[in-house]
Amino acid sequence: MVSNSKLFELEKNNSVINITQRENLESDENGEIQLKHLPVGKPFLYDKETGEKLEFEISGDIITISEPYKEVYVTYEYEYVEGGSVIKMGNRLFKGYISLEGKTRLKEDTSGQVVTGIFKIPKLRLMSDLSIRLGRQADPAVVTFRAAGVPVGGREKNYVCELYSLNDDIDSDM
């Protein structure tokens, strides 16, 4: 798939790569939370137990909430400046179909149990460039792309995507 793609080396400190970071943290006795990185833009903060969005104040890489010792999830982007490589797969270079699979966490409406959700699109056509950025100590992060799902299956049983709701949270530490 990448044999017709263009590979570019990014110089250190020459190109900033925004990396999405998700952290499971707990506030201290003052309601302060220390992030690993300096966030770009406004982070998203929600209660680990209830899943509710929390109000907060931020100063640099310190988030302040009203409750001490509260476990939260924080999702934010930070700037990675150590360089890396980018592979660009363009619409003209790749004419076939790809599949897309993603994983998320879902909260059941009735029981409140957090479970893993698997989202699958078996046949996808790229409608724009797909840019994947790679770097040392960084997970690949797809920035933006446009695509169209193509129906698969028989005449009366065709579908574009599937969303599985598993019975467990397969990424949980417990």
Side-chain angles (χ1 to χ4, degrees):
M1 179 166 104
V2 294
S3 62
N4 287 334
S5 301
K6 296 180 182 179
L7 176 64
F8 300 98
E9 286 292 323
L10 301 175
E11 297 294 323
K12 190 173 185 177
N13 298 325
N14 188 22
S15 180
V16 174
I17 302 170
N18 284 351
I19 307 275
T20 301
Q21 178 76 23
R22 184 171 190 238
E23 298 181 42
N24 178 10
L25 301 168
E26 183 178 2
S27 61
D28 64 12
E29 65 274 359
N30 300 320
E32 292 184 346
I33 301 165
Q34 173 75 47
L35 300 176
K36 281 185 188 176
H37 307 280
L38 182 65
V40 176
K42 187 173 181 182
F44 182 73
L45 182 81
Y46 57 100
D47 188 319
K48 181 181 179 182
E49 187 176 314
T50 65
E52 292 180 29
K53 186 177 177 182
L54 297 174
E55 297 297 319
F56 62 92
E57 293 181 14
I58 186 164
S59 176
D61 60 353
I62 303 288
I63 290 178
T64 306
I65 61 174
S66 60
E67 296 182 57
Y69 307 111
K70 172 72 105 182
E71 283 196 71
V72 298
Y73 286 121
V74 184
T75 304
Y76 62 95
E77 284 191 341
Y78 70 94
E79 292 181 341
Y80 180 79
V81 294
E82 296 299 317
S85 302
V86 61
I87 299 172
K88 293 193 177 188
M89 292 176 271
N91 206 16
R92 293 184 315 230
L93 296 174
F94 185 70
K95 297 273 186 212
Y97 296 103
I98 60 174
S99 64
L100 176 69
E101 182 174 329
K103 186 168 29 171
T104 188
R105 285 197 166 101
L106 304 170
K107 188 170 185 176
E108 293 291 334
D109 290 341
T110 54
S111 68
Q113 179 184 1
V114 176
V115 298
T116 299
I118 307 290
F119 183 79
K120 293 184 178 185
I121 301 176
K123 196 171 184 182
L124 191 73
R125 178 178 286 284
L126 286 177
M127 306 300 282
S128 67
D129 286 346
L130 173 64
S131 176
I132 300 175
R133 296 175 185 240
L134 306 169
R136 191 177 59 211
Q137 299 175 342
D139 292 331
V142 176
V143 180
T144 57
F145 68 95
R146 288 182 324 146
V150 178
V152 296
R155 184 176 261 173
E156 294 180 18
K157 295 182 179 182
N158 62 7
Y159 64 95
V160 173
C161 67
E162 300 171 304
L163 176 60
Y164 296 93
S165 178
L166 305 181
N167 291 330
D168 299 305
D169 184 2
I170 61 175
D171 291 331
S172 175
D173 292 338
M174 300 179 106

